[in-house]
Amino acid sequence: GGHVALLAQKWHEGAPRAAELYRTALTQETSPLRHAVPHPDGCTVGLVLREPQGDGLFLAERDVRWDPLDRVGPRLSPATGNVLPESVRYSPDGSVIVFILEKDGGERELWAVPSGGSADRAVRILDGALTSEPAFSPDGRRVAVSRGAVGAYETVVVNVEDGTVESVVGPGLVGPQSWHPSGEYLLLTAPDPV
């Protein structure tokens, strides 16, 4: 068998010197690693990993300074449902992670968990026909996420702490970088109203 590694490489080097951040003694086909998201602290990565038994996906963190290279922190997502890899987002200050969990029946839930926490501290803040690209507000207190069907999306702004829906902005589809730096505006894509 081979191995699968998560590498940090300098983008501007012609022949990068790769730093290994995570390694598994498995082949590409059987690797538990599905996705990695950098924490703003520059030392932590959020990892979407495959369950040891089965095909489910869960969220955990790793400090890249830890030994050995396959060591990860506690599970951060609930035991039921699969984390959608592309949905994982750190708040701007890195204190909170949001992610979308997809249940067996296809229902989706937006969850928030403290960075460095554990699954028992994860809180469901919204459910419904959610898209997979939540966006944190610049202050980290709110998340915008779209819900609905293709051509009929609306965007919801949710308070991260208590799940209060603060606004329904629609129609339109939010992307991961949709908040204006001022925190006053959301950039949405929407069908032409004309």
Side-chain angles (χ1 to χ4, degrees), residues 133 146 151-155 169-175 178 186-192:
E133 296 194 320
S146 298
Y153 291 116
E154 66 179 7
T155 293
V169 185
L173 185 62
V174 72
S178 285
L186 277 168
L187 304 177
L188 306 176
T189 56
D192 189 340

Side-chain angles (χ1 to χ4, degrees), residues 147 154-157 165-170:
R147 63 184 179 190
E154 66 179 7
T155 293
V156 180
V157 176
V165 174
E166 295 187 3
S167 180
V168 178
V169 185

Side-chain angles (χ1 to χ4, degrees), residues 92-180:
D93 69 358
S95 64
V96 177
I97 311 169
V98 295
F99 58 91
I100 292 176
L101 201 66
E102 189 167 62
K103 300 293 197 161
D104 288 342
E107 306 94 21
R108 290 183 173 184
E109 301 170 342
L110 180 66
W111 287 75
V113 65
S115 176
S118 58
D120 62 355
R121 296 185 62 198
V123 177
R124 187 179 71 214
I125 55 176
L126 188 70
D127 53 33
L130 306 175
T131 64
S132 59
E133 296 194 320
F136 263 106
S137 62
D139 65 8
R141 294 173 46 206
R142 297 171 184 86
V143 171
V145 66
S146 298
R147 63 184 179 190
V150 175
Y153 291 116
E154 66 179 7
T155 293
V156 180
V157 176
V158 184
N159 183 294
V160 174
E161 285 189 15
D162 61 15
T164 302
V165 174
E166 295 187 3
S167 180
V168 178
V169 185
L173 185 62
V174 72
Q177 304 297 323
S178 285
W179 284 92
H180 185 271

